[in-house]
Amino acid sequence: MSEAASGVNIFPNPVSGFLNVSLSREVASVDLEISVEDASGKIVYKTDVAKGSTEITIQTAHLSAGIYFLRVFDGKNTHSYKFIKLKPP
């Protein structure tokens, strides 16, 4: 399933500063838990998102360059989205 089809879009990807997360109204119709995990599965960021929020911005400056996974948990299911963090310029 593509990001757009799932109702979650993350950009830019790859990212060097802020990662934007755009949620469809359907996805945003419930409270969500959003986390970022590194390639080893360690949670490096976690936040709760209130019902109705359709835009989230995540600062990635504290992350090392590499592959990460954004996880969106809606209380029943978890959806994962891979993104790449670039080295700072």
Side-chain angles (χ1 to χ4, degrees):
M1 178 181 303
S2 72
E3 287 179 13
S6 71
V8 177
N9 188 24
I10 61 172
F11 60 95
N13 190 9
V15 63
S16 60
F18 290 96
L19 181 69
N20 299 296
V21 182
S22 178
L23 306 169
S24 70
R25 287 187 191 168
E26 181 179 344
V27 172
S29 67
V30 297
D31 291 333
L32 301 171
E33 180 182 281
I34 292 183
S35 61
V36 174
E37 296 179 11
D38 65 16
S40 71
K42 178 182 173 188
I43 296 174
V44 296
Y45 174 85
K46 187 174 182 179
T47 189
D48 293 323
V49 179
K51 175 180 173 179
S53 298
T54 58
E55 299 289 331
I56 297 107
T57 302
I58 300 171
Q59 171 60 268
T60 66
H62 67 287
L63 301 177
S64 300
I67 296 173
Y68 292 86
F69 297 91
L70 178 87
R71 310 255 192 234
V72 179
F73 177 64
D74 64 10
K76 295 180 184 176
N77 301 300
T78 301
H79 301 278
S80 300
Y81 308 90
K82 183 170 89 170
F83 70 93
I84 298 170
K85 168 64 167 67
L86 298 175
K87 293 179 186 177

